[in-house]
Amino acid sequence: MNSVKLFSPVFLCFFFISSLLAQKTAGIFYFTFSIDNEMVKEMEAERKGGGILSGFSSAAAIPDAITDSIKQVTERVLSEKLGMPVGFLTVTTNNGTPFETTGIEGGTDKTSIEGLPMSAFKKAKEQHDEDLYLQILVSIEEGQGVRVDLGTGNHKIKPMVTMNIKAMDKDNEVVWKSKVQVKDFGKLKRSTQTDGDWEVRQGETLTGLMILEMYKQAVAEIEIEN
């Protein structure tokens, strides 16, 4: 009998309100992450006048573990900033194929991280009931403006992370948006050399761990309007 008294009207009211607050969630339905090719290509060779199929290159791989870490960092930091659970949404076609990045979204001069959600808002809303729907665009690109080459074939590139994020409500109305740029990083040494008919470009590159650490700095600076 004493246990029944615990469920007083005040307790039930508090439990009901707490449950409503806890039910608020946000889902990431669109997330692209592109990197300038030059920052991940260890070496690239091209034969002059040979056409688009006359060269070859090798690039630093971005392991799946780095992609998973980017997702985990995103969910944790945005959940803390929003004060509600934030997760990645898996949105699929009618035959069950997920809408996600494939590595070509950045264009021919950029490398895109694969396996991130890339759905239309309408499709995401059809399959997931969220209070907020998040769209995130991240890029790592040249951050020092005009590049100066003194004729030696050597140059330096300064990575800059740009992150744009916006949140939409159930009616696809933008509730808030934020943008940060972080460029307090070192420079990558690169060189371009000519060997007969071949032009060879090579030098320092960003590793997967470097990309992850740079992203951590960017997402930590996002300002969210609650």
Side-chain angles (χ1 to χ4, degrees):
M1 296 295 293
N2 291 335
S3 61
V4 177
K5 295 180 181 180
L6 293 175
F7 297 94
S8 64
V10 174
F11 175 82
L12 291 174
C13 182
F14 174 79
F15 179 80
F16 179 71
I17 294 175
S18 298
S19 298
L20 287 178
L21 292 175
Q23 289 172 0
K24 286 192 174 182
T25 58
I28 302 167
F29 72 96
Y30 189 101
F31 187 179
T32 59
F33 195 134
S34 63
I35 308 159
D36 278 0
N37 276 343
E38 190 175 16
M39 296 185 189
V40 292
K41 281 191 176 179
E42 297 164 338
M43 189 273 291
E44 182 177 24
E46 182 179 0
R47 189 171 64 233
K48 297 179 181 179
I52 61 174
L53 300 179
S54 63
F56 57 89
S57 64
S58 62
I62 301 175
D64 291 341
I66 295 298
T67 303
D68 293 339
S69 295
I70 288 173
K71 290 180 177 180
Q72 292 168 6
V73 168
T74 304
E75 290 176 337
R76 176 177 55 79
V77 175
L78 293 184
S79 293
E80 293 173 355
K81 289 177 176 287
L82 274 170
M84 67 176 69
V86 176
F88 282 84
L89 303 181
T90 299
V91 184
T92 62
T93 62
N94 293 335
N95 61 9
T97 303
F99 289 103
E100 58 183 28
T101 56
T102 61
I104 60 175
E105 287 74 22
T108 57
D109 60 339
K110 295 182 182 295
T111 296
S112 293
I113 294 180
E114 300 181 19
L116 299 174
M118 194 179 183
S119 167
F121 172 85
K122 182 178 180 180
K123 199 71 174 179
K125 184 182 175 182
E126 287 176 358
Q127 299 182 19
H128 298 274
D129 184 18
E130 305 288 335
D131 293 282
L132 291 177
Y133 296 84
L134 306 182
Q135 182 185 72
I136 303 173
L137 290 80
V138 179
S139 66
I140 299 180
E141 53 194 352
E142 170 67 68
Q144 64 182 351
V146 179
R147 176 185 299 164
V148 178
D149 191 329
L150 300 179
T152 61
N154 300 319
H155 64 275
K156 297 179 180 180
I157 52 179
K158 184 175 177 61
M160 175 182 69
V161 183
T162 301
M163 182 174 184
N164 288 277
I165 178 172
K166 64 180 178 180
M168 285 78 74
D169 60 18
K170 295 177 184 292
D171 297 320
N172 201 16
E173 296 292 334
V174 176
V175 178
W176 55 259
K177 57 184 177 180
S178 181
K179 175 181 179 179
V180 298
Q181 286 186 329
V182 183
K183 51 185 176 181
D184 188 20
F185 307 111
K187 296 181 180 180
L188 300 173
K189 297 178 181 179
R190 305 287 298 177
S191 68
T192 302
Q193 300 175 347
T194 301
D195 183 6
D197 292 335
W198 288 88
E199 184 177 84
V200 180
R201 297 178 287 275
Q202 58 188 339
E204 298 174 339
T205 61
L206 296 175
T207 66
L209 285 175
M210 290 177 185
I211 292 168
L212 175 60
E213 291 303 316
M214 294 167 69
Y215 176 69
K216 285 181 179 179
Q217 293 188 40
V219 72
E221 294 193 16
I222 286 289
E223 296 183 358
I224 292 177
E225 300 175 7
N226 290 308

